[in-house]
Amino acid sequence: MLELVDEKNKDYYYKRMKKMSVLNEFYSRGFDVASIYDDSIVDPVVLSDMQHKFDAMTVDDIILNFDSQLTQIKEKFTMSGDMEQNLAGDGLDELIASFEINPDMGLPFPSAKLTTIFKGMMLGKLIVVSAPSGQGKTRVQGEISARTAVGEYYDLIKCRWVNTGMHEPVLYISIELKLDELQTIWVSTISGVPEHHILDGKCTKEEKERVTKAKELIKKANLYFVSISDYDVEDIENIVKKYYQLYGVRYVFFDYLSSSLKIMAEAAKKTRMGGLREDQILYMFATRLKELCNRLKIFMWTSTQLSGDWKNVKEADQQLLRGAKAMADKFDGGAVLLPVRESDKPVIAAHIAKGFELEPTHVLHI
């Protein structure tokens, strides 16, 4: 029999036997191998075509075929439900045509400049404004949240009440403030009456009338407030989900992005690592908030603290963020709020010379 062996075909038969062994192994484990080798085929043309394709395959090709089947099953049952797979051109005609009817813009901010820069309060976006302690982060959030939920406010320039038509359900989550501390900011925003007049109980008769109307407008608004001091990321997510589902909230203001003991414990438990640095924890926090914005299609505005050397820097950017500069990678829009510095004064003077009546106390570095 050895005399009949053709040495030139030895390698071919060895590889074929190995491939058949691999197929038999998969078959014994319940896999359907007919797509690769079907011994029930009797049509000589179809059989020849199958044999040709089988001869061209390697063992790795066969294993990869079944790996692909397993991957499809994993994608269906175990991978993230947020994953989408498409061709680049899927729905492209409809997408471009939709912008002619509904331009890609969100609700306007109280500031027309911010609306232009950030394209409004776009759903699915996370905006973060960072500032030193006591420099107005809360006041900015208070104004924007109130004006989004309350469709009317007193315009100090026009000296009359203005109807904006915006009556959106809004959620304000605070880790520092109590309700009464924010209520006076909201009343001041809507009435145009300085907050210190309200707090000192020294409003004029005309200011009292505006405050009274502002109170009634706020009472009718879908403006929700939650105060929580000890929290982790899951707590914040659950609060947002609750108000999204029960009250249709799509605009969320979270006053302060910072770490806490509960967040550190949560991070250690989920990563199975102790001693995570604050920057790592805050980066994880920002990532989860951004994922939440995408998943629920909500707009979120939050704030962070600045590092101590903000007074000495030339450029006010993400390098000033305290604890986690990498957080900025997760923001759709960011800004640094600082009091006017010497380097800002020439620019401000030039604008005032062009007719701006009010000299600013702070600068927002986008």
Side-chain angles (χ1 to χ4, degrees), residues 169-171 224-226 238-250:
V170 171
L171 171 64
Y224 304 98
F225 177 81
V226 173
N238 288 336
I239 291 170
V240 173
K241 289 176 184 176
K242 171 187 173 181
Y243 281 83
Y244 172 82
Q245 293 168 349
L246 296 182
Y247 307 110
V249 167
R250 294 189 298 169

Side-chain angles (χ1 to χ4, degrees), residues 86-198:
N86 301 96
L87 286 170
D90 289 350
L92 186 57
D93 292 337
E94 295 81 1
L95 174 66
I96 300 304
S98 70
F99 296 141
E100 297 180 5
I101 302 172
N102 297 304
D104 193 24
M105 290 285 293
L107 288 178
F109 289 100
S111 163
K113 290 183 175 64
L114 284 184
T115 300
T116 300
I117 293 168
F118 292 133
K119 299 196 71 177
M121 290 181 277
M122 298 182 66
L123 300 179
K125 304 301 182 183
L126 173 65
I127 304 295
V128 179
V129 173
S130 304
S133 179
Q135 293 299 326
K137 296 188 297 291
T138 301
R139 193 162 298 280
V140 171
Q141 289 192 45
E143 178 180 5
I144 299 173
S145 59
R147 289 277 296 274
T148 305
V150 181
E152 198 171 353
Y153 75 100
Y154 189 83
D155 191 313
L156 291 172
I157 296 177
K158 298 178 181 179
C159 296
R160 62 180 176 83
W161 288 92
V162 175
N163 193 325
T164 65
M166 294 207 310
H167 299 277
E168 296 294 326
V170 171
L171 171 64
Y172 195 109
I173 305 172
S174 178
I175 65 171
E176 292 185 331
L177 301 178
K178 298 302 181 184
L179 177 59
D180 59 351
E181 295 176 285
L182 199 57
Q183 283 177 321
T184 54
I185 294 176
W186 284 336
V187 170
S188 175
T189 293
I190 299 303
S191 67
V193 176
E195 187 185 14
H196 66 274
H197 287 198
I198 299 171

